[in-house]
Amino acid sequence: MSAEFSFQASFEAFTNQLAAVVFYAFSFNGVPIPLVMIWLISGALIFTFYLGFINIRGFGYAIRRLFAKPEAGSSGEISPYKALTTALSGTVGTGNIAGVAVAISLGGPGATFWMIMAGLLGMSTKFVECTLAVKYRQLNADGSVSGGPMYYIKAALDKYQLPWLGSALAVFFSIAVIFGSAGFVHVNQGFVQVQSVTGFDNAWLFGAIYAALIGAVIIGGIKSIANVTSKLVPLMCAIYLLAALIVIGSHLSAVPAALWLIVQSAFAPDAAYGGFIGVLIQGFRRAAYSNEAGIGSSPIAHAAAKTKDPVSQGFVGLLEPFIDTVVICTITALVIILTGAYQMQGLDGVQITSSAFATVFDWFPLVLMVALLLFGFSTVLSWSYYGLTGWRYIVGTHPRLTTLYKLLFCGMVSMGAVPSIMAVFDFIDSMIFLMAVPNILALYLLLPEVKRDLQHYWQQKITARATAGKPA
C-alpha cells in the first residue's frame, strides 16, 4: 500500500466519522432529522419571537438603511451596502441553483414553502449576528477592522465568568472557518459546467487560472474584495433573474396553480416525500445551506461596515436571507416547478435547473456556466476573507502572516477543480456547520443585550424624528 493511498484512505475514514458526528440525525416517522438543523431552526424561532418579529417590522427601515450614507465619524472599512454585497456573495451561489433543485426533487414542490419560511426566520438570526459583529469588532494597528463570532463568543462567555471556555470556543470557531473557507466546491462545480459546455478538460490549468484571479483580488484585502463583489453580485443576480423571469413569463398562466401546489404540498402527508416532516426538513436544510443564517460566516463581512451604531448594520444584515432565499431561491423553484423539470428521470442538482431553463432557451447551459462561474468566484472571494479573519484571530495580524494565509488559500483553490476530492467536500461542509455550535450559543447568551440595544436605537430614532418635526 502506497503512502499516498494510505493517507487518502485515512483521510476519507476520518471525514466520514466527522460528518457522522456533525450531521448526526435521529429518526422521526422514518425521516432523519439532523440535530444541527434543530439547533439552527430553534434559534431562528426564538430570536424572531424574542425580538418581536424584527424580520417583519424592521424590513422597510432595513431597505432605507442600506442606501443611507455612513454617518460622519463612523469607524469601519466599507459602506453598509458593500458589506451586504460581500456577505451576499458568500451565500448566493450553487445553493440557489443546484440546492433548490435538490430540495424539490427530494421534498417535492412543498419544500419551497419551507425554504421561504426558513429564509424569513433566518432574517432575525442575521439581525442578531450582524449587530453583535459590529458591536464587538476590534480596530487593528494597521487601521483594518477585525470582527465576527470569534470576538462576540469570547465576550459572551467572559460576561458569564467563563473566560477559558470563551477563548477555547473562539479558537474552535476560528479553526472551523479557516478550513471551511477553502473554495473547493465552487471551483469544482464551475469546472464541471465549463467542461460540459465547452469540452475543456484540463482541471489543473482551470484551477491555476482561477487561483490567479482570486489572488489578484484578495491581495488588496476587504476593500478590494468589497469593490469587486459590489459590482459582481448585482451583475450575476441580474443575469440569472432575467433569464428566470423570462421562463416564468412564458408560463405566466400556470403561475397561480404552481403557487397553490407549493402551499398544498407543504402540508400534505405525501409518503413519496417522507411526509410532512420530510418536506419541512428538506426545505429548511437547503435554506440553511443557501443563506447560512446562524453559521456565523457573513457577520465577519458586516463587521467591516462603516457605521456608528451596531444595530443599524443589523438591519442591513437581515436583508441577506430575504434576497438569497425568499427571492432568488423562490424564483428558481418556480422555474423548476412550472417546467416540470423536477419530474424528469435521471437528472440531479444543477442538471434539473439547467433542463428547466433549456425548455425555453436551448443555449441556457452557456448562461448557467457564466452564472455558476460568477456565483462561485464571488463566494470564494468572501470566504477567503472569512478564513483570513479566523487566521488572524489565532496567529496575529502581522503582514507576513497575512500574506502567508493568502498564498496558502490560493494554493488550495488551485487544486479545487480536481474531481477526486469528495472527502474534502464533506470535510469542508462539516467545518462550516460546526461553526454554528458556538455561534448560536453566543447569540443566546447575548440576546437580552441585543434587545436592549434595539429598544434604545428605536427610541433614539423616534426622538430624532420628533425633533425634526416628522411623525414618529
Side-chain angles (χ1 to χ4, degrees):
M1 180 183 291
S2 67
E4 181 181 354
F5 180 81
S6 177
F7 172 78
Q8 182 176 344
S10 299
F11 182 73
E12 289 180 356
F14 167 74
T15 299
N16 290 336
Q17 291 295 322
L18 178 65
V21 172
V22 175
F23 298 105
Y24 174 79
F26 64 92
S27 180
F28 182 85
N29 197 28
V31 178
I33 303 177
L35 287 180
V36 70
M37 291 304 304
I38 300 299
W39 186 238
L40 290 167
I41 295 170
S42 60
L45 282 167
I46 290 171
F47 303 148
T48 297
F49 283 101
Y50 188 81
L51 296 176
F53 291 88
I54 192 63
N55 52 338
I56 305 300
R57 63 189 179 97
F59 184 77
Y61 180 74
I63 294 175
R64 293 197 298 271
R65 282 301 312 159
L66 176 61
F67 298 105
K69 293 182 179 180
E71 305 95 327
S74 297
S75 58
E77 297 185 77
I78 55 179
S79 69
Y81 169 76
K82 288 185 177 180
L84 177 68
T85 55
T86 301
L88 271 173
S89 70
T91 58
V92 176
T94 53
N96 303 82
I97 298 175
V100 175
V102 171
I104 295 174
S105 62
L106 295 177
T112 306
F113 177 87
W114 296 113
M115 287 186 70
I116 295 171
M117 290 299 103
L120 292 173
L121 291 173
M123 292 167 68
S124 300
T125 304
K126 289 281 186 175
F127 173 83
V128 179
E129 289 179 308
C130 297
T131 297
L132 292 172
V134 174
K135 184 172 184 177
Y136 289 100
R137 66 187 178 183
Q138 295 183 3
L139 293 175
N140 301 316
D142 60 0
S144 62
V145 173
S146 294
M150 59 283 284
Y151 293 92
Y152 61 70
I153 288 170
K154 178 69 169 65
L157 288 153
D158 281 352
K159 292 176 183 290
Y160 286 84
Q161 308 304 314
L162 293 170
W164 60 272
L165 182 58
S167 297
L169 290 179
V171 170
F172 174 83
F173 180 92
S174 299
I175 292 172
V177 77
I178 290 170
F179 283 107
S181 68
F184 287 124
V185 177
H186 308 286
V187 181
N188 186 272
Q189 289 298 293
F191 173 69
V192 168
Q193 189 68 10
V194 169
Q195 187 180 43
S196 65
V197 173
T198 68
F200 180 80
D201 63 354
N202 191 325
W204 288 106
L205 179 59
F206 180 88
I209 295 172
Y210 204 109
L213 293 173
I214 290 291
V217 177
I218 68 173
I219 198 71
I222 183 60
K223 291 182 180 179
S224 177
I225 294 171
N227 285 334
V228 173
T229 57
S230 65
K231 298 175 179 64
L232 197 56
V233 168
L235 173 63
M236 68 187 186
C237 287
I239 292 173
Y240 184 73
L241 293 179
L242 178 62
L245 290 174
I246 292 174
V247 175
I248 293 172
S250 68
H251 297 80
L252 197 58
S253 61
V255 170
L259 292 173
W260 173 242
L261 178 64
I262 289 172
V263 175
Q264 187 180 41
S265 302
F267 299 95
D270 190 341
Y273 298 121
F276 165 71
I277 297 296
V279 176
L280 184 150
I281 289 298
Q282 281 302 325
F284 271 86
R285 177 183 295 177
R286 294 303 160 185
Y289 269 103
S290 180
N291 63 50
E292 298 172 9
I295 299 298
S297 50
S298 58
I300 298 173
H302 285 280
K306 289 181 180 178
T307 182
K308 277 186 173 181
D309 199 305
V311 174
S312 68
Q313 192 61 27
F315 279 108
V316 174
L318 69 77
L319 293 172
E320 193 181 328
F322 181 83
I323 297 170
D324 175 277
T325 306
V326 179
V327 176
I328 300 178
C329 286
T330 301
I331 288 176
T332 300
L334 277 174
V335 168
I336 293 170
I337 294 168
L338 286 169
T339 59
Y342 70 101
Q343 296 175 318
M344 296 179 185
Q345 299 298 316
L347 300 180
D348 189 24
V350 71
Q351 295 175 330
I352 296 175
T353 309
S354 184
S355 297
F357 279 96
T359 60
V360 175
F361 308 110
D362 292 338
W363 41 263
F364 186 77
L366 179 63
V367 176
L368 188 63
M369 178 190 78
V370 174
L372 276 175
L373 288 174
L374 291 176
F375 282 147
F377 187 77
S378 64
T379 300
V380 175
L381 284 179
S382 294
W383 274 89
S384 72
Y385 179 67
Y386 301 161
L388 175 61
T389 303
W391 171 272
R392 297 177 77 173
Y393 185 85
I394 295 174
V395 306
T397 60
H398 193 283
R400 289 184 180 179
L401 293 174
T402 297
T403 301
L404 175 61
Y405 167 83
K406 292 176 180 179
L407 291 173
L408 291 172
F409 183 84
C410 289
M412 297 295 284
V413 167
S414 69
M415 297 185 291
V418 181
S420 58
I421 51 174
M422 289 311 297
V424 178
F425 290 179
D426 291 338
F427 176 76
I428 292 172
D429 282 347
S430 297
M431 290 293 104
I432 290 173
F433 276 86
L434 274 176
M435 291 160 56
V437 177
N439 181 52
I440 295 288
L441 173 62
L443 300 186
Y444 278 130
L445 295 177
L446 295 174
L447 189 56
E449 186 177 307
V450 173
K451 186 173 185 177
R452 287 194 301 270
D453 291 345
L454 173 60
Q455 291 171 338
H456 178 68
Y457 183 84
W458 274 135
Q459 190 59 45
Q460 282 185 318
K461 293 301 173 185
I462 291 172
T463 303
R465 291 180 69 84
T467 303
K470 298 177 181 179

